Each structure stands twice: as structure tokens, then as C-alpha cells.
Amino acid sequence: MKYDILSMTLPELEELILSLGEPKFRAKQIYGWITKGAWGEEMRNIPKSLIKKLEDVCEFRLPKIKLKLESKLDPTKKYLFELIDGECIESVFMEYAHGNTLCISSQVGCRMGCKFCASTILGRVRDLAPSEMLGQIIAAEKDTGKRISNVVMMGIGEPLDNYANTVKFLRLVSSPDSLNIGLRHISVSTCGLVDRIDDLAKEDLPITLSISLHAYDDETRSSIMPINNKYSIDELLCACESYYQKTGRRISFEYTLIANKNDTEEGAYMLAKVLKKYIRSTPHVNLIPLNEVEETKLHTSKNVNNFKNKLISLGINATVRRKLGSDINASCGQLRRQSQKE
Ligand code: SAH
């Protein structure tokens, strides 16, 4: 088994370099290169003999660009990345006023089974290593020549179903030795693995946690999100409130609007009611008009603005997710799905 060098912290790499009989300062030089996406001969100030030793004991898991789609409407770019074993994942690069953002994947496929989602149709193949999450950012920075200042874990996979690697990734990406992206600029989105939310509250990671709620009662939520059969809305929202009490970090809620499922005015009323019951700070709801996925037969809602206005009138802070890259199918999972079909 080779060392997965991009998953290593600087102290871990220093230990490896010393064990190879090389001076410790080389580790910092090498770390500087790999976090810019350079490896092998590209590491120009590293002696050839050391490069050879490193290549013998390490693998460099930087994702390779297999396909890149560029929007004509805005600077959004969608990447299909190929991993070391040939599996594919997706990332989306977006430019916002507050900085460049990359939406990254956390698993190859997903086993959560949400009915509206393209990523889960063929289940989960494997978890991503920390290097492969970090590598999406490094590869996108290398390709665009732009610094990424914000990261959202809203691509393929359920980050909390790959808990240890996600936490290691969060520590790596925010480390000043590595990409130095502040944890406050990172969002982790989850379908609601309650035990893991409790664990995450103890990690001292000031990220923003987003909960994919998508429904106002258990019957509706269970019909579109199988995870709700394991953890009810009551358990989920209690975990959210206790996460906030422990960390002081407000949670935001994602709500995908699906026609005739969860998008009525009555639904907005019920959603406001259930959020207010459990969440003591003003909850923020990010409404996402459903991106239609061919296989699902679910349709996007025509009631988005009404739903938003109703929530606002009930004292809930609601916004509609701005649609970037709509001409390149930028919602995650769909590009990988397409490449599987071909
Ligand atoms: N597993 C994580 C990350 C998933 S993707 C989670 O469940 O939160 C990020 C968001 O996009 C989630 O809220 C997810 O439910 C939503 N989503 C997935 N497929 C979608 C689709 N076809 N249209 C709109 N939103 C979708």
C-alpha cells in the first residue's frame, strides 16, 4: 500500500521524509508543490533522487479533468473528474460577489436514496479519500488560475456518511500549511444523519451546516427521503437545535420545491410552524427549485415565489437559490449519470 500523500498533514509528511533519510525542510517544499497540483518532475527544487523515492512510496491522487462544461451565461464551470481507479465525480466552479466557490463531491455515488436526486440512482460505489476532496479544489484552482475562497459540500455523496474522511478533509483544507480556506467559508450539507450531527458538534469545526429538509412532516419527508424512516423530523430538528447550542453556529435549511409534493401555501405554513417549534434562532431556509432528473418523474414547482413570500410573512428568513450555469446541467450527479449511460 502506498501513502496517499495529499491526504497527509504536514507533520505526517515530515515524519515520512525523515524516515526516508531526507532533511525535514523538504517536506514543506513538497507540501507547497502538491497543494498546487504539482508532482514528480514538476517539483523543480526537489532533487531527482528524492522524487524517485517519493514516487516509489506515495501515490498522488489529484483528480484528472475528464470533461469540462463552461456556461455561456455566466462564469460557471462544471467538471467531470476521473479518480485514480477510473471512477468519476463532479465539481462545480461558481463566481459570487463574496468569492469563488467550488461545490465538491464526497463519495462516488450515494446510498441515501433521495427520490429526486441523480447521484443516488445506482447507489454508492465508494467513499472519497480526504485527498480526493482536497484534490477537486486544487485541480479547479490549477485549471481556472483563480483562488477558491469558499467550498460547499453539496456535490455527489453524503459527507456525513463518509465522516472520518470528511473531518480530516476539513482540517486539511483549513490548515495554513495547506489551502488555508477558513472553516467559516465552508458549508457541509447533509440529509440528516442525526448521530453524526451530534458527533460533528464536538469537533470544534466552525463550518456552516446545512440540512436538506425538503418537507414539513414525516409522511412527506419519508416519501422522498428514506433517511427519514431512521431519524424523524422531531429527532433531526432537536439535533439541529442542540448543535446550535453547542457550537453557536446557525444551521441553514435546504428545501427543494417539488410540484404537488411539498410546495403549497399550506406547506409553507406547516414548515414555518415546525421550524419555529424546534429552532430558537431565526431559521434560514434556502429554497431550491427542483432540477428535473429524467428518471424521477418529479417536476419542478411553479409556486416558488409564493412559497418564499409566505415563509417570509411568517418570520422565516427565506431565499431562493440563484441558478448559475443552467445551460450546462450544473446540478450535481447529472453529468456523472450521463457519462455512465454513454
Ligand atoms: N447528501 C447531501 C448533499 C447533497 S446535494 C445532502 O443531502 O444534503 C445538495 C442539495 O441538493 C441537497 O439539499 C439535495 O437534497 C439537493 N438536491 C439533490 N438533487 C436535487 C435536484 N434534482 N433538484 C434540486 N435539488 C436537489
Side-chain angles (χ1 to χ4, degrees), residues 100-220:
N100 299 325
T101 300
L102 196 71
C103 174
I104 64 165
S105 296
S106 57
Q107 295 178 314
V108 179
C110 183
R111 57 176 179 165
M112 295 298 123
C114 299
K115 292 284 189 288
F116 44 82
C117 180
S119 306
T120 196
I121 294 173
L122 289 181
R124 181 192 64 166
V125 178
R126 69 171 174 86
D127 289 336
L128 294 192
S131 56
E132 292 168 319
M133 299 187 225
L134 197 70
Q136 295 169 62
I137 306 169
I138 296 170
E141 284 193 335
K142 195 174 173 185
D143 180 62
T144 58
K146 291 175 181 165
R147 155 113 178 129
I148 288 164
S149 55
N150 297 69
V151 175
V152 295
M153 299 192 77
M154 292 188 181
I156 296 170
E158 168 49 52
L160 300 190
D161 187 39
N162 182 14
Y163 185 82
N165 288 347
T166 294
V167 168
K168 178 140 197 212
F169 157 73
L170 292 170
R171 296 199 196 287
L172 280 176
V173 72
S174 56
S175 155
D177 302 322
S178 180
L179 299 189
N180 200 16
I181 299 178
L183 289 164
R184 288 187 158 70
H185 298 268
I186 300 178
S187 291
V188 176
S189 179
T190 177
C191 63
L193 303 184
V194 167
D195 296 347
R196 293 312 193 194
I197 294 172
D198 292 342
D199 294 339
L200 197 60
K202 297 178 201 130
E203 301 279 0
D204 194 23
L205 291 167
I207 50 138
T208 299
L209 189 61
S210 283
I211 305 291
S212 298
L213 192 58
H214 306 326
Y216 44 80
D217 65 17
D218 282 320
E219 193 190 337
T220 314

Side-chain angles (χ1 to χ4, degrees), residues 40-59:
E41 302 283 306
E42 291 171 324
M43 302 191 285
R44 275 179 275 107
N45 57 357
I46 306 299
K48 290 217 159 56
S49 57
L50 174 52
I51 292 176
K52 173 82 180 60
K53 280 191 205 171
L54 279 176
E55 285 175 334
D56 285 344
V57 299
C58 296
E59 59 185 15

